[in-house]
Amino acid sequence: MKYISTRGSAPALNFEDVLLTGLASDGGLYVPETLPVFSQAEIADMASMNYVELAERIVAPFVDDCIAQDDLRTILQATYAEFRHDAVAPLTQVAHNQWVLELFHGPTLAFKDFALQLLGRLLDYVLERKHRKVAIMGATSGDTGSAAIEGCRHCDNIDIFILHPYQRVSDVQRRQMTTVVGDNIHNLAVQGNFDDCQAMVKASFNDKAFLPEGRSLVAVNSINWARIMAQIVYYFYAAVALGAPGRPSVFSVPTGNFGDIFAGYLAAQMGLPVERLIIATNRNDVLHRVMTTSTYGRQALSHTLSPSMDITVSSNFERLLFDLYDRDGATIAQMMQRFETGDVSFSDSAMARARRLFSSQCVSDEQTCAQIASTWENCEYLLDPHSAIGLKAAFDSGLSARYPVITLATAHPAKFPDAIQQAGLSQAVELPLHLRDLFQREERYEVLPNELGAVQAFMAANLNA
Ligand SMILES: *Cc1c(COP(=O)(O)O)cnc(C)c1O
């Protein structure tokens, strides 16, 4: 399988190389040149598969001959053995024809574990064969760094450096990162804010000379193709459990960078009967504005009760645009260049295509808390704020009269106690068993000044892999 760039001029890559590459050299994102398509009979057969078996079925064509089938199976088994629920991605019913797909049973209690647990292992496998070692660098405002760290804890060929703003992340968030044990894990508390951290990561990717020769820097942010690939699996898993291919389903997806819902779009392209994909956003509603006004435009960032969806641009949306414009890379390149300096409007035909499968809704903090409270009242089920946004949009769509509607529950409520408190339900939150001793565990992190030189010097001196 070959991967091509959405901007049309970077070289095509195989799976192995795409794994190690973030942005394409032309600034675009990599997508598969063609997609595997499953017949209705093949999808019906998936009903008998457990999560790992299904993952192998879905992932194998994307990985192609870069990873031997037996090795792929071993990697997938190890990945999903880290999840603390036998079904890996269980469905819970919360109302008539309304289902919640629980994606928070991984080590850090958020859906990002599905992709990052796999990505770490895939990278390590490929690096081992190439006799290479890399450093991963990333910045976090607190809510997503732990998934990347947990994903790398067993990797022999990777050092991971995650920058967070010193004293500006919550205790639970910091401890989820700093109590992970491993010589290759490096938590850097930078005496600045999140934007400072992000700027340092960006500067380091632009000039990697601070690392010793032969060490490259790899990004594991949400544009990495392997992350999207891993997320396709649970769309099939849930839909088949609720009657696919005989019965089409609707998915409501709490959306930020458009990675998760793009995986749902790919599932539909691969033959899964999907009636509708609902883009559920918080007040940072760039995608809802695209869907309702056909215009892609930046607005100032708002801080909400669902911080993992606080974004101003939605990086993976470019992958959908590429298809909406008949995979014309030159057009996408021009459009994204114009977007650097101003708004971009999309053609009627592109938007008509998008609206055939996608709809959208923007949900306020007040509505989020109201949804958390009403779901608790109706069935004693506690939602996290991101999942609540999805469920609110699922109810408002009215589609459950005709289809099973599946909301992706992207995080465990214990991760976001502020929202639960505002919904008046503090007494209902409990950390899952394996995290109850989080506050007794030893922490390891380095406090560094808000200076690029200090951060880079620390990294160069602490490569342990
Ligand atoms: C990252 C994240 C999202 C948004 O997913 P995208 O792929 O960026 O759209 C939603 N909820 C939670 C809890 C997340 O961590």
Side-chain angles (χ1 to χ4, degrees):
M1 163 114 34
K2 285 272 174 217
Y3 292 86
I4 56 172
S5 165
T6 51
R7 300 199 191 172
S9 54
L13 300 180
N14 67 9
F15 180 76
E16 204 169 71
D17 291 322
V18 102
L19 203 55
L20 292 162
T21 311
L23 278 183
S25 57
D26 56 9
L29 307 181
Y30 277 104
V31 290
E33 189 170 39
T34 57
L35 287 173
V37 176
F38 297 106
S39 68
Q40 303 292 291
E42 285 171 323
I43 294 172
D45 280 346
M46 293 175 183
S48 65
M49 297 181 188
N50 67 28
Y51 196 87
V52 171
E53 290 163 346
L54 180 63
E56 184 183 337
R57 186 85 177 87
I58 306 273
V59 166
F62 291 108
V63 166
D64 211 8
D65 51 8
C66 286
I67 298 182
Q69 191 86 11
D70 285 352
D71 293 340
L72 178 63
R73 186 172 311 140
T74 306
I75 289 172
L76 290 167
Q77 279 164 350
T79 297
Y80 296 108
E82 299 277 349
F83 284 62
R84 284 166 177 89
H85 193 297
D86 269 358
V88 182
L91 279 163
T92 298
Q93 189 164 13
V94 291
H96 176 65
N97 258 353
Q98 294 283 356
W99 304 80
V100 166
L101 179 62
E102 295 185 348
L103 302 177
F104 51 71
H105 294 284
T108 75
L109 312 180
F111 90 97
K112 292 195 170 62
D113 290 326
F114 275 83
L116 286 162
Q117 285 290 321
L118 180 60
L119 178 57
R121 287 176 171 82
L122 290 171
L123 276 171
D124 209 40
Y125 176 89
V126 165
L127 292 168
E128 188 72 34
R129 290 209 316 186
K130 289 180 177 265
H131 305 292
R132 278 181 58 191
K133 292 186 187 294
V134 300
I136 285 174
M137 184 180 190
T140 183
S141 54
D143 43 293
T144 58
S146 55
I149 290 172
E150 281 281 356
C152 290
R153 74 190 297 177
H154 302 296
C155 300
D156 295 329
N157 302 295
I158 301 173
D159 275 289
I160 178 162
F161 298 86
I162 297 292
L163 283 56
H164 72 261
Y166 180 53
Q167 292 183 336
R168 293 187 197 206
V169 304
S170 77
D171 286 353
V172 172
Q173 289 176 338
R174 188 191 67 248
R175 284 179 166 273
Q176 276 203 294
M177 299 190 281
T178 59
T179 59
V180 181
V181 181
D183 287 346
N184 64 330
I185 292 168
H186 313 274
N187 279 288
L188 312 188
V190 175
Q191 291 170 319
N193 60 28
F194 172 61
D195 290 338
D196 297 326
C197 295
Q198 234 180 355
M200 288 190 195
V201 172
K202 199 168 175 191
S204 301
F205 275 91
N206 284 336
D207 181 4
K208 300 168 190 151
F210 69 97
L211 286 175
E213 214 171 294
R215 278 281 175 152
S216 44
L217 205 55
V218 169
V220 295
N221 51 18
S222 72
I223 58 152
N224 190 296
W225 161 253
R227 287 183 59 171
I228 308 236
M229 172 187 82
Q231 293 166 185
I232 299 170
V233 179
Y234 47 70
Y235 285 90
F236 276 90
Y237 188 69
V240 166
L242 295 181
R247 202 177 170 211
S249 34
V250 172
F251 289 91
S252 178
V253 187
T255 295
N257 269 320
F258 205 73
D260 204 5
I261 198 167
F262 185 70
Y265 164 80
L266 292 178
Q269 305 299 303
M270 290 163 67
L272 188 69
V274 175
E275 176 63 26
R276 188 143 289 272
L277 293 169
I278 303 170
I279 304 168
T281 75
N282 65 23
R283 208 154 6 98
N284 297 289
D285 63 346
V286 56
L287 292 172
H288 179 59
R289 283 182 282 117
V290 168
M291 293 303 294
T292 48
T293 68
S294 306
T295 299
Y296 197 31
R298 287 186 176 81
Q299 276 186 358
L301 186 76
S302 297
H303 292 283
T304 71
L305 291 173
S306 44
S308 303
M309 289 155 56
D310 288 348
I311 45 96
T312 55
V313 299
S314 208
S315 38
N316 282 296
F317 188 62
E318 181 171 339
R319 287 186 155 118
L320 178 67
L321 280 178
F322 186 55
D323 282 2
L324 297 180
Y325 281 87
D326 295 315
R327 304 202 131 203
D328 174 358
T331 297
I332 301 300
Q334 278 172 8
M335 231 156 24
M336 296 318 289
Q337 196 167 9
R338 267 187 286 135
F339 185 60
E340 291 290 315
T341 53
D343 294 359
V344 177
S345 290
F346 301 128
S347 68
D348 290 347
S349 63
M351 287 311 301
R353 234 186 232 191
R355 289 176 189 130
R356 278 209 287 274
L357 186 59
F358 291 94
S359 56
S360 67
Q361 184 169 346
C362 163
V363 177
S364 70
D365 276 353
E366 293 68 31
Q367 292 172 313
T368 304
C369 290
Q371 186 63 56
I372 293 173
S374 71
T375 302
W376 177 261
E377 196 164 304
N378 294 338
C379 58
E380 281 192 32
Y381 188 82
L382 191 62
L383 293 163
D384 105 289
H386 305 80
S387 313
I389 287 172
L391 190 59
K392 166 75 175 153
F395 276 120
D396 288 357
S397 74
L399 289 166
S400 63
R402 278 182 296 155
Y403 307 98
V405 180
I406 304 164
T407 295
L408 273 50
T410 51
H412 189 287
K415 282 197 91 151
F416 300 97
D418 291 355
I420 308 299
Q421 194 186 354
Q422 285 197 32
L425 293 170
S426 299
Q427 75 290 354
V429 203
E430 270 189 9
L431 271 179
L433 273 178
H434 70 279
L435 285 179
R436 299 255 169 97
D437 67 343
L438 189 64
F439 282 82
Q440 279 82 57
R441 294 183 201 164
E442 191 187 333
E443 289 192 81
R444 260 183 48 195
Y445 61 99
E446 196 74 27
V447 180
L448 291 175
N450 188 10
E451 288 164 21
L452 182 62
V455 167
Q456 293 188 338
F458 179 88
M459 289 176 65
N462 287 279
L463 294 164
N464 294 329

